[in-house]
Amino acid sequence: MLGSLAEAEDAVQESWLRLSRAGADEVGNLTGWLTTVVARICLDMLRTRKTRREQPSDDATAKLAAPDADPGQEQELADAVGLAMLVVLQALEPAERIAFVLHDMFDLPFDEISPILGRSTVATRQLASRARRRVQGAPRDSDAPAERKVVDAFLTAAREGNFEALLTILDPGVVMRGDAASIRMGGPRQLSGSAAVAKAFAGRAQAGRYILLDGAAAIVVAPNGHLLLVLDVTIRGGRITAIEAIADPERLMRFNFALPES
């Protein structure tokens, strides 16, 4: 639910502290009590996080190029849950996230989730349904598989530093632009031509992953599942013709991220 091992440990520790104060012997259904308390603590943490709207750290640019920017348990968590899933969950409102995770991933019935959220069973069911639609994304068009092949080939060539392969994937007239936030992170304002764009990506994109952005092919950069920026790509004729780097938190929050079909 939180996508962060450190925050998850804080939530569990707080739950145990509350249990020690309440007294385990006084709790009739220990499993249900713990599930409720942990979920409510997570909900409060998610709401606080949304209010805080944290900015990317100063070392964000370094993370773009590093294959293992923060190795260890956080990476294990991201691998286990799935980077794409962690990014998609970040796009959900806190209540949607709790309802979706508890029901769709842990099979809790809605009548047990509704008291946690302080909503009716019907309203909780609607929250999970809305979250499910956002996770699944917009209907795929017939070009989606072909576009994924182009993006996957681009990422592979970039990670391997294969300059020649990048040139075959990029349109000769490709243009890459960055928003103000991505520029502050060290990205380019604008690059024109396949050679310039290929040089910028060769040996990089280690943290990049294919994802659907408002139903279209895109690249998400999310080291350990923490959303950093999105590369909105335009593909025509089997080649990438434009790339827009988007890191502005307000814009990222308005996007509809969705899991690609496996």
Side-chain angles (χ1 to χ4, degrees), residues 204-225:
R204 298 170 67 91
Q206 303 294 340
R209 297 293 185 274
Y210 172 86
I211 202 167
L212 288 168
L213 181 71
D214 291 340
I219 298 169
V220 63
V221 179
N224 299 327

Side-chain angles (χ1 to χ4, degrees), residues 160-241:
E160 295 175 351
N162 192 332
F163 186 79
E164 295 301 323
L166 285 170
L167 290 180
T168 65
I169 300 165
L170 296 166
D171 185 85
V174 64
V175 175
M176 177 180 177
R177 295 183 177 87
D179 67 3
S182 71
I183 294 170
R184 287 195 298 270
M185 290 163 51
R189 182 181 300 275
Q190 179 170 322
L191 295 173
S192 299
S194 56
V197 175
K199 183 178 179 181
F201 280 97
R204 298 170 67 91
Q206 303 294 340
R209 297 293 185 274
Y210 172 86
I211 202 167
L212 288 168
L213 181 71
D214 291 340
I219 298 169
V220 63
V221 179
N224 299 327
H226 298 290
L227 180 59
L228 190 63
L229 63 83
V230 165
L231 300 175
D232 187 9
V233 298
T234 301
I235 300 172
R236 293 193 179 92
R239 287 186 172 186
I240 296 175
T241 59

Side-chain angles (χ1 to χ4, degrees), residues 84-133:
M85 174 60 83
L86 290 179
V87 171
V88 169
L89 288 179
Q90 289 182 51
L92 302 179
E93 294 300 320
E96 292 176 340
R97 189 164 174 170
I98 298 297
F100 174 75
V101 170
L102 290 182
H103 181 266
D104 285 42
M105 301 178 71
F106 290 95
D107 296 323
L108 261 67
F110 288 118
D111 58 0
E112 292 185 19
I113 303 172
S114 58
I116 297 173
L117 298 175
R119 310 284 185 95
S120 68
T121 301
V122 173
T124 302
R125 188 186 302 274
Q126 291 173 342
L127 284 171
S129 178
R130 186 163 65 230
R132 196 177 302 114
R133 288 195 300 271

